[in-house]
Amino acid sequence: MKSVKSILKADIKGKRVLVRVDFNVPIKEKKISDNTRILAHGETINYILEKGAKKVILISHLGRPKGKIKPEFSLKIVCGELKKILARDITFFNDCVGDEVKNGISKLQDNSVCLLENLRFHPEEEKNDESFSKELAELADLFVQDAFAVSHRAHASTVGVTKFLPSVAGFLLMKEVKYLSELLLNPVRPFVAVLGGAKVSTKISVMSKLLKKADILLVGGAMSYTFLKALGQNIGSSLYEEDFIGNAKETADVCKNLFLPEDHVISKSPEKPDGERVVKSIPDGFFGVDIGPETVSKYSSIIKRAKTIFWNGPMGIFEVDDFSKGTQKIAEAIAEATTAGAISVAGGGDSVAAVKKAGVSGKFSHISTGGGASLEFVEGKTLPGIEALMEE
Ligand code: ADP
Ligand code: MG
């Protein structure tokens, strides 16, 4: 099988190294609210420094400025945190291409680190524009791709630049690929997948893939109501997708390894808790907001027997504390199974937030930093940013 070109084989000494990282951090009240994404690239950046690179030039995007310069999306905000994590000075440049940046970089001391301004301030980044890619490439002698989270996009900093520079994968990207491909190629069995979240529509392809690869698929979250409605059960006012009823019925009828919730926490409002109520059949006027305790205990005992676990999508509206118990308990069960020797991988923006909220993120084998990218990987799609790093 083909694999990505590894940073371990790259000649780094004396080179100017351009590194695509994912510093797309969450920001609340002008502060970084979670530095996980910055931390995740520490290993790659430190390795490049240790190997004697002449310059380390970090590039990233932040938010969705849509090709315009918007100060609220400036990457300058990352400098302080990065300085702490790497324990060294960081030079920041107000742009990512152009003569000023090029000259500025050439004046930096050897073995120094700089961070360039948001790639997406230029519309050419997301258009995978060739001359913009060339301009980025001209800053360096080697390209290291470490931003797994954007590898499902064909952008200048994921695909374009690899046409003009020798390009390799960094440690974070390799770790993501290793964990996610092992799920698909070589899972230790039993392999249990847990799928939840808001919509069937966004998860239907990952679901059909998992139904083939996993021994058991446990479904929770709002997406379970589309299935339950398809099976003729009462779901009250719960979120569901009419367009997917047919598909859900077919899947539920055919797939014997698909499990659906048997009891539910319900509420009159999806935002405001009004006293905990658990039911098997959801009456009119109520929303299903979480999986109930019987479902939790059934799913947990299945999870605890698993040897490989993949989780995407919360089991309920976990953002509301009263509706987060099911998600919390499932996170704990996966953590426990991992301690007992199972391999566990969580992926998806909200799922990762849920694992963190549950306080067990350190106990999972791997928490994927890619939301959309990890799902597309599990679906079996070819990710252009990874394809661009494949060995010939
Ligand atoms: P991920 O980002 O991990 O892929 P999704 O985006 O698919 O996950 O789903 C997360 C969202 O699903 C959360 O905002 C959560 O509130 C919502 N959700 C989960 N269960 C329910 C439910 N029963 N009713 C409404 N929304 C739900
Ligand atoms: Mg989400």
Side-chain angles (χ1 to χ4, degrees), residues 286-311:
F286 284 87
F287 293 85
V289 293
D290 195 5
I291 54 173
E294 270 181 41
T295 308
V296 165
S297 95
K298 182 167 182 183
Y299 283 11
S300 298
S301 67
I302 293 172
I303 287 168
K304 283 173 194 168
R305 288 195 298 269
K307 286 280 177 281
T308 302
I309 305 152
F310 174 71
W311 184 17

Side-chain angles (χ1 to χ4, degrees), residues 255-377:
C255 301
K256 297 295 162 231
N257 56 346
L258 178 87
F259 286 65
L260 293 166
E262 287 166 12
D263 61 344
H264 317 272
V265 175
I266 57 166
S267 170
K268 277 194 177 133
S269 147
E271 289 108 31
K272 266 200 226 108
D274 50 6
E276 188 175 310
R277 251 168 294 203
V278 175
V279 296
K280 296 227 166 196
S281 166
I282 305 175
D284 289 346
F286 284 87
F287 293 85
V289 293
D290 195 5
I291 54 173
E294 270 181 41
T295 308
V296 165
S297 95
K298 182 167 182 183
Y299 283 11
S300 298
S301 67
I302 293 172
I303 287 168
K304 283 173 194 168
R305 288 195 298 269
K307 286 280 177 281
T308 302
I309 305 152
F310 174 71
W311 184 17
N312 168 263
M315 299 288 98
I317 307 177
F318 77 103
E319 298 92 338
V320 179
D321 285 347
D322 284 34
F323 309 152
S324 71
K325 253 182 235 157
T327 304
Q328 169 86 33
K329 290 263 161 55
I330 294 302
E332 285 167 8
I334 298 175
E336 203 176 302
T338 314
T339 308
I343 290 166
S344 58
V345 180
D350 292 290
S351 313
V352 171
V355 177
K356 284 188 185 148
K357 186 172 174 174
V360 291
S361 51
K363 291 189 175 158
F364 277 59
S365 312
H366 182 59
I367 308 264
S368 178
T369 53
S374 21
L375 288 189
E376 287 195 19
F377 194 104

Side-chain angles (χ1 to χ4, degrees), residues 61 63 65-68 118-122 125-126 150 155:
H61 76 284
K66 302 201 172 133
K68 296 206 175 69
N118 199 335
L119 292 160
R120 292 192 189 167
F121 282 179
H122 293 266
E125 158 65 358
E126 287 174 272
V150 287
H155 291 171

